[in-house]
Amino acid sequence: MSDIKIKITDREGITHEVDAPTDMNMNLMEVVRSYELAPEGTIGVCGGMAMCASCQCYVKSEHELPEMSDDEDAMLAEAFYVEDNSRLGCQIHMTLELDGLEVELAPES
Amino acid sequence: MIKTDILIIGAGPTGLFAVFEAGLLKLKCHLIDALPQAGGQCSEIYPKKPIYDIPGFPEVLAGDLVDNLMEQIKPFQPGFTLGERAQTIEKCDDGSFIVTTNKGTKHHAPIVAIAGGLGSFEPRKPLLGNLSEYEDRGVAYIIKYPEVYRNKRVVIAGGGDSALDWSIFLADVASEVTLVHRRNEFRGALDSVEKVQELKNIGKINLITPAEIVGLNGVERLESVTIRKTMNAAEDITLEVDNFIPLFGLSPKLGPIGDWGLEIEKNAIKVDNTLDYQTNIPGIYAIGDVNTYPGKLKLILCGFHEATLMCQSAYQRIFPDKKYVMKYTTVGGVTGFDGSKKEAPKAVVKAID
């Protein structure tokens, strides 16, 4: 099995349970884009290089996530609406360990 | 009034390459961009990031790609209106267009090519309720004329290169520079961070970290800002200032182009076909990331392709009676508007007795 199920709450507050493939080197931002859970141009603006924070999300579940890189940490230092559980979706790659992950998209800024 | 053959809105890689392809057809181009420099996202967001999918370049920094494109189009002498956003478009009786920027600069061309990427980049504004009250009354998001800040008390907020670079620059211009950042660590070039440290040590920059601007105060214009130290919210600091410059980067918005009567789908301009990327308004084309059509891929190399086809179509539209045959640069070389000519060296022909 190469798909996992994740729950994504969009910016309208609607929660979507989606299948995310783990065999395509996809990240959370790309999953959101592929399911069109945020309008084009409002997410993944920098292409997934941790340089814009348009894919900021709040991690709601207790999953162990990859450690934050310096780039991601620094970007979140400049972003708005940052909370303790903020991460950049583009830096979270889909792996089997993330089955059941629950996230909420941060407001657009 | 600036007159040209093809008016290109957006000076990112696609817009720049369109100048080259138009130049091969002897068509002159002028570019408008809201940013103060050419290069679009490549220059503004990730100039130091490598790109791996440009044919012929196993790896190229985004900034270097833009530099190369600028070099490539130099013979075609494009005009630039930078730091201004294309605001309105008006169709003339002869089918040509007049595009006016937010600063009132007028451009006239028979062809308009929108190569606006994700849109025009607008400053990301901090979340302060009364921020707009002080815009142009002490608050600015882009520094266009540093002399405006001479002998003024300036507060800069942000932690990236812009915040660092302008703090350094204004340290010699303003009477007082205060840099406020949410963290102690700065995301910027190491030498800029070290320079700020040095200027702080000698008292030329007042550094307040980790802290945030939480209030703007003043009657008519900005008079002071309220700074909250993240570790000690109880002791807010009120600092008397003349100017507040939040530098939190830019975010793209489709902007006024969205009101030009063009068919829009998913924040992008719909083009009817992949023949020439013309929009629903004849004479207006959309190329690169700004357009959408079935199968669209937002890649720089696709923008290059679209720019090429757009120029061929534009040529036919400008000269409907002329038959143009596409030529290869390997055969015909490149003849610039500046009189320069690039061509393959002629082979030496020698008879054999």
Side-chain angles (χ1 to χ4, degrees):
Chain A
M1 189 192 90
S2 61
D3 283 3
I4 57 172
K5 291 212 179 288
I6 58 176
K7 280 186 183 170
I8 301 168
T9 302
D10 66 22
R11 289 172 180 146
E12 311 294 324
I14 300 163
T15 300
H16 309 260
E17 188 174 32
V18 301
D19 293 322
T22 59
D23 57 355
M24 293 172 68
N25 194 29
M26 242 180 165
N27 61 48
L28 182 60
M29 176 271 285
E30 289 165 338
V31 173
V32 174
R33 285 178 71 148
S34 61
Y35 283 98
E36 300 183 359
L37 301 181
E40 191 68 42
T42 66
I43 189 158
V45 170
C46 74
M49 294 187 284
M51 304 197 78
C52 72
S54 61
C55 63
Q56 185 194 162
C57 61
Y58 307 123
V59 178
K60 301 286 194 184
S61 53
E62 296 296 322
H63 288 75
E64 196 173 328
L65 294 173
E67 201 178 332
M68 215 183 269
S69 68
D70 289 345
D71 281 349
E72 182 181 1
D73 189 41
M75 186 66 245
L76 285 171
E78 276 197 273
F80 302 138
Y81 305 111
V82 175
E83 303 288 345
D84 290 343
N85 58 346
S86 283
R87 292 294 302 260
L88 297 182
C90 66
Q91 303 299 301
I92 300 174
H93 287 267
M94 295 295 100
T95 59
L96 291 173
E97 290 73 34
L98 296 185
D99 190 32
L101 180 72
E102 292 178 33
V103 297
E104 179 185 345
L105 301 184
E108 190 189 346
S109 63
Chain B
M1 178 95 77
I2 294 166
K3 294 196 174 199
T4 191
D5 295 319
I6 302 181
L7 181 65
I8 301 170
I9 297 169
T14 295
L16 294 176
F17 189 66
V19 174
F20 180 82
E21 288 297 325
L24 294 180
L25 306 177
K26 307 273 184 258
L27 298 176
K28 190 100 177 158
C29 293
H30 188 96
L31 300 99
I32 301 175
D33 202 296
L35 292 173
Q37 77 281 323
Q41 270 197 77
C42 286
S43 298
E44 192 58 37
I45 302 186
Y46 50 89
K48 299 293 179 198
K49 286 277 181 180
I51 303 174
Y52 301 103
D53 61 352
I54 304 295
F57 288 90
E59 180 179 339
V60 60
L61 298 183
D64 290 347
L65 176 67
V66 170
D67 290 345
N68 286 345
L69 285 163
M70 290 295 280
E71 182 65 25
Q72 193 172 17
I73 64 175
K74 203 191 276 179
F76 299 115
Q77 301 178 312
F80 288 93
T81 300
L82 298 174
E84 298 184 29
R85 190 179 56 223
Q87 192 78 21
T88 60
I89 192 163
E90 182 189 331
K91 192 164 188 173
C92 306
D93 292 341
D94 63 355
S96 61
F97 300 93
I98 292 174
V99 173
T100 307
T101 68
N102 59 328
K103 299 281 169 70
T105 311
K106 289 187 179 294
H107 309 75
H108 180 233
I111 301 291
V112 173
I114 301 171
L118 294 166
S120 61
F121 282 75
E122 307 285 337
R124 290 172 66 234
K125 300 179 181 181
L127 311 166
L128 296 164
N130 58 351
L131 186 69
S132 60
E133 282 176 37
Y134 298 107
E135 287 175 354
D136 296 327
R137 293 176 183 176
V139 171
Y141 310 104
I142 292 173
I143 298 174
K144 281 197 93 172
Y145 307 108
E147 277 303 308
V148 166
Y149 303 101
R150 183 158 300 277
N151 301 324
K152 297 280 169 56
R153 298 163 299 177
V154 179
V155 169
I156 292 174
D161 279 313
S162 295
L164 292 167
D165 293 347
W166 281 113
S167 297
I168 294 166
F169 187 89
L170 292 180
D172 282 331
V173 176
S175 62
E176 199 177 292
V177 173
T178 302
L179 175 59
V180 179
H181 180 39
R182 201 188 296 163
R183 292 192 184 183
N184 294 321
E185 301 80 25
F186 284 83
R187 183 171 73 110
L190 188 60
D191 55 342
S192 302
V193 177
E194 287 172 351
K195 183 74 181 163
V196 167
Q197 176 75 60
E198 200 179 296
L199 290 166
K200 182 205 167 196
N201 292 346
I202 60 171
K204 292 200 80 174
I205 288 179
N206 179 24
L207 192 64
I208 303 180
T209 62
E212 276 185 278
I213 305 289
V214 292
L216 304 176
N217 325 296
V219 182
E220 302 275 313
R221 64 166 285 120
L222 185 70
E223 291 167 10
S224 68
V225 295
T226 306
I227 302 169
R228 178 161 299 162
K229 294 274 279 181
T230 310
M231 309 303 284
N232 190 0
E235 291 182 16
D236 286 355
I237 304 164
T238 299
L239 190 68
E240 288 187 8
V241 297
D242 300 300
N243 297 91
F244 171 48
I245 310 168
L247 297 171
F248 292 110
L250 302 156
S251 69
K253 305 272 180 238
L254 197 52
I257 292 171
D259 304 322
W260 286 7
L262 299 162
E263 214 175 330
I264 306 287
E265 187 180 279
K266 293 180 187 170
N267 278 335
I269 299 170
K270 201 171 165 187
V271 288
D272 288 342
N273 55 69
T274 52
L275 178 73
D276 60 4
Y277 308 100
Q278 196 157 192
T279 66
N280 58 313
I281 301 178
I284 302 181
Y285 297 77
I287 52 174
D289 285 0
V290 79
N291 76 13
T292 184
Y293 53 84
K296 169 70 183 177
L297 286 180
K298 292 190 178 193
L299 293 172
I300 291 174
L301 74 98
C302 296
F304 290 164
H305 164 80
E306 293 168 16
T308 308
L309 295 193
M310 177 278 291
C311 288
Q312 301 283 322
S313 174
Y315 182 90
Q316 287 300 320
R317 192 172 167 80
I318 296 171
F319 304 112
D321 302 327
K322 279 193 190 173
K323 181 70 189 158
Y324 175 77
V325 179
M326 194 207 64
K327 293 188 176 72
Y328 296 102
T329 56
T330 43
V331 177
V334 174
T335 306
F337 298 154
D338 56 359
S340 64
K341 184 157 178 68
K342 278 186 188 174
E343 58 187 337
K346 296 281 181 286
V348 177
V349 178
K350 197 175 178 186
I352 299 174
D353 295 329

